[in-house]
Amino acid sequence: MDNLQLLSLFQLCDSNLPVGQFSHSYGLETYIQDGKVHDKQTMKEWLMVYAEEQMCFSDGLGCYLGFQALNEGNLTDFWEIAVRLDAQSLSRESREANRKVGMRLLKLGQDLYPNSTLEVYKQKIKTDHIKAHPALVFAMIAYELHLSETETVVAYLYSTISGLIQNAVRGIPIGQTAGQTLLHDMKSRIEKLTDRIKTLSIDDLGATPPGLEVAQMRHEHLAVRIFMS
Amino acid sequence: MNRWTGELQLNMKNKTNKTIAESVFFQGAFKVMRPLYLDDSGQACYYILNPGGGYVDGDRYLISVHLQEDAELLLTTQSATKVYKTVQSPIYQENRFHLESGSVFEYWPDPLIAYQDARYEQKTTIDMSSSASLFYAETMTPGWSEEAKLFPYTLVHLKSDIYVDGKLVVLDHLRFMPQTQKIKGMGFLEGYTHFGSLMIIDPSIDLYLEELSQHLLRDYDECQIGFSRLDVSGILIRILATNTKQLEDVFKGCSTFFKRRFGRVVPELRKY
C-alpha cells in the first residue's frame, strides 16, 4: 500500500465522514434503555455479539463477497449480493439505516472519486430492485483504490465498529478513553473476524441471532430515542 | 438425490368457493388424511402426520404446496416435530410453497423439538403473488435431553427465502448452535428459552396493522416481542418466551386479526 492509498483509507474510515453513521445504533439503544448495556464492560459484551454474530454474516460477509465479485469482474454476482444483503435485514429501521448511510457514502464517494464504477451502482439503484448498502459502496471504493480484499474487509469492520463505539460514548455514556481502549481491544478481534469471513460463502449471508433482531425491531417503539435505529 | 424419507405434495384449487385438492401425493414418512373444513369458508385444512414419530439421522423431507388462484389452505401438523440424535449427516427438510394470485396460505406447525446432538437444516422457499396472503408461524423449543439439559442439540438452521412477484423480499436466516454460541445470553435468547417467528404478508394488512401493533405492544407481558413492517405489505414478528403456550397465544392473537378480515375466527388446532 502506498502513502496515497493509506491516506485515502484513513479518510474513508474517519468517523467524521458525513454519512450519518452517528444517527444509527442498530439496536444498541434498546439495550441501553433496558439497562442491559450501561458501562464499558456491558458495551463490550454487546459489541462482541453484534460484531461476531450479526455483522460478520451481514455487512462483513457482504463487503467481502462484493469485493470478490468486483475483483472477478462479475457485476451480476455483485447485484445478487446487494439484493440478498438488503433482504436479510428484517428490522425496518436497520434496513432503512443501511440504505440511507449507503446512499450518502455513495454520493460522497462520487464527489471524491468521479468517473468510478459508483456511477453504475447509482444507476442500478434508480432502475432496478437494488438498494444502496454501505458495505458494498465501501467495497467498490476500496476496489477503485486498488486495496486488497483483506485490507478492505478489515477497514470496513474497523470503521463500523469505531462508529458504534462513538455512539456508545454519547449514548450510554462512557468516557472517551474507555471508548478508545474498547476500540483498541477490538483490533485483534477484527483480524480474527476477517479470517472467519474468508471461510464463509453467500449461503451464510444473513444469519442473525434473534435477540439482536428483536432489540432492533423494538427500537421502533421506544418512547424516547436519540438514535434513528 | 431424489429419494425423500418423507414427501408431501399438495396442489389445491378453488372450485366454486371451496378449496379442493387437484392432486395429493405423499410417500414414506409423511401422510395426510382427507382435508378438513373447519368452518363454512371453504378453506381446506390438512394435518401432516408423521407415522415414524420423529426425524432420524440423514432423513430428508419435502413439503411442496401449490395453491392455485383463490385457493385457501391451512396446513398444520398433528404433533411436535422431534429431531433425534444425528451422527452422520444433518436432517434436512425442504419446504416449497407456491401461492398464486388471491390464494391464502396459513402454515402453522407444532413446535420443533431437537434432541441431544441433533442437527437439523430447513430450507423454505415461498414464491407468492402480491395478491396472495400468507400466515407463516414457526416455534423453536430449547429441545429435549434425558438429563433435562436445555439446548442439548448441535444445530438448528432455518432459512427462508420469500419472493413476491418474483422479487426476493425476505431472506430470513436463523442459526442456533448452542455448543458454540452463548444461546441464553445477550443477543441470542436474552435469558428466554423459546423462540417464535410469525410472518404475515397480506395485501390488506393496512386494514388491521395499527390495531395489531397496539395489541402486540400491550397484551404480552411475559414475552419479549419485536415486530417490523416489511417492504411489501406485511409484518414480521419475533417472540422470545419461556414456554410454548406463550408463543401459541401470540400466534392466536395475531391470527384473530388476519382471520377477521376474511370474516373468520381462529380454529382450535391443538389437541393439548
Side-chain angles (χ1 to χ4, degrees), chain B residues 9-262:
Chain B
Q9 296 197 37
L10 300 172
N11 183 351
M12 311 298 292
K13 68 176 177 188
N14 182 312
K15 192 182 177 192
T16 55
N17 294 325
K18 186 179 180 189
T19 296
I20 58 166
E22 166 104 27
S23 66
V24 175
F25 170 79
F26 53 83
Q27 65 92 14
F30 279 159
K31 186 179 172 183
V32 289
M33 311 295 270
R34 291 157 55 89
L36 301 172
Y37 294 88
L38 301 172
D39 53 31
D40 56 10
S41 69
Q43 181 184 44
C45 170
Y46 280 108
Y47 279 86
I48 303 172
L49 315 182
N50 182 350
Y55 292 10
V56 297
D57 213 346
D59 278 2
R60 292 163 54 82
Y61 297 90
L62 173 68
I63 299 175
S64 172
V65 174
H66 179 186
L67 299 190
Q68 297 180 26
E69 206 175 313
D70 298 326
E72 303 192 4
L73 176 68
L74 173 73
L75 187 61
T76 185
T77 47
Q78 199 190 33
S79 57
T81 298
K82 299 180 194 72
V83 181
Y84 297 121
K85 182 173 178 160
T86 313
V87 185
Q88 303 289 334
S89 50
I91 290 148
Y92 177 71
Q93 171 152 338
E94 192 169 320
N95 300 321
R96 299 178 196 153
F97 303 141
H98 178 200
L99 317 179
E100 286 189 36
S101 62
S103 63
V104 180
F105 183 49
E106 296 174 64
Y107 184 62
W108 191 343
D110 284 88
L112 183 74
I113 303 174
Y115 282 55
Q116 185 84 40
D117 303 323
R119 283 182 292 158
Y120 176 74
E121 290 184 3
Q122 178 181 292
K123 175 87 206 308
T124 301
T125 307
I126 302 176
D127 183 5
M128 63 187 286
S129 154
S130 56
S131 67
S133 301
L134 172 73
F135 182 97
Y136 181 87
E138 235 160 359
T139 304
M140 275 277 311
T141 68
W144 192 90
S145 76
E146 263 176 63
E147 300 82 32
K149 183 182 133 199
L150 295 180
F151 305 104
Y153 59 86
T154 307
L155 170 74
V156 170
H157 192 181
L158 310 171
K159 271 181 99 168
S160 307
D161 289 356
I162 301 181
Y163 295 83
V164 174
D165 290 342
K167 283 183 177 148
L168 181 70
V169 293
V170 172
L171 194 159
D172 186 356
H173 192 167
L174 292 157
R175 183 154 46 189
F176 297 91
M177 296 190 290
Q179 279 150 40
T180 56
Q181 299 162 336
K182 291 175 188 156
I183 195 148
K184 284 178 255 182
M186 186 192 280
F188 280 90
L189 293 175
E190 313 282 358
Y192 293 86
T193 49
H194 290 60
F195 171 75
S197 178
L198 173 64
M199 177 127 28
I200 300 175
I201 297 180
D202 180 358
S204 295
I205 200 160
D206 283 333
L207 294 175
Y208 55 89
L209 187 64
E210 184 52 36
E211 224 184 329
L212 174 63
S213 303
Q214 291 310 319
H215 170 74
L216 288 169
L217 288 171
R218 196 184 52 225
D219 292 345
Y220 301 101
D221 290 342
E222 288 168 321
C223 27
Q224 197 162 74
I225 301 182
F227 58 93
S228 215
R229 173 117 209 204
L230 303 172
D231 274 3
V232 289
S233 188
I235 186 173
L236 174 67
I237 301 158
R238 301 286 215 206
I239 312 132
L240 305 176
T242 49
N243 60 56
T244 303
K245 185 177 178 303
Q246 290 170 354
L247 296 173
E248 284 283 321
D249 285 347
V250 179
F251 295 157
K252 270 187 205 161
C254 296
S255 178
T256 313
F257 294 93
F258 182 79
K259 287 277 198 186
R260 193 196 287 159
R261 94 139 174 107
F262 300 99

Side-chain angles (χ1 to χ4, degrees), chain A residues 36-193:
Chain A
K36 286 184 178 169
V37 171
H38 53 83
D39 58 7
K40 185 190 160 191
Q41 188 48 44
T42 45
M43 172 58 195
K44 187 173 184 179
E45 201 185 324
W46 177 83
L47 189 57
M48 297 280 274
V49 68
Y50 179 79
E52 295 189 351
E53 302 291 351
Q54 183 168 23
M55 209 169 100
C56 171
F57 299 103
S58 53
D59 291 41
L61 181 57
C63 184
Y64 171 70
L65 294 171
F67 189 94
Q68 269 196 333
L70 294 169
N71 215 7
E72 288 158 9
N74 191 340
L75 276 182
T76 313
D77 275 7
F78 189 86
W79 307 131
E80 172 69 17
I81 294 156
V83 168
R84 298 199 150 253
L85 192 53
D86 189 70
Q88 62 81 32
S89 186
L90 300 177
S91 141
R92 183 176 56 78
E93 285 185 347
S94 296
R95 194 163 63 239
E96 285 171 0
N98 286 331
R99 291 171 180 177
K100 271 187 202 153
V101 174
M103 204 60 206
R104 290 182 68 173
L105 185 59
L106 180 55
K107 283 181 177 151
L108 182 69
Q110 281 192 300
D111 289 338
L112 301 178
Y113 306 102
N115 309 317
S116 61
T117 39
L118 290 171
E119 183 56 30
V120 184
Y121 197 168
K122 199 173 147 197
Q123 283 309 318
K124 200 77 180 168
I125 291 166
K126 274 188 190 155
T127 54
D128 279 302
H129 178 65
I130 301 280
K131 304 284 192 261
H133 194 292
L136 292 174
V137 179
F138 193 99
M140 221 171 217
I141 298 173
Y143 179 72
E144 296 275 328
L145 292 170
H146 302 290
L147 297 180
S148 76
E149 183 181 275
T150 307
E151 286 160 355
T152 303
V153 176
V154 166
Y156 181 73
L157 294 176
Y158 174 84
S159 82
T160 308
I161 287 171
S162 149
L164 285 167
I165 292 174
Q166 284 302 314
N167 290 345
V169 165
R170 284 186 296 128
I172 297 174
I174 55 173
Q176 291 283 358
T177 308
Q180 288 303 317
T181 54
L182 179 52
L183 185 56
H184 182 71
D185 292 347
M186 289 305 287
K187 286 192 282 194
S188 59
R189 291 279 168 178
I190 289 173
E191 272 202 292
K192 280 191 194 132
L193 209 52

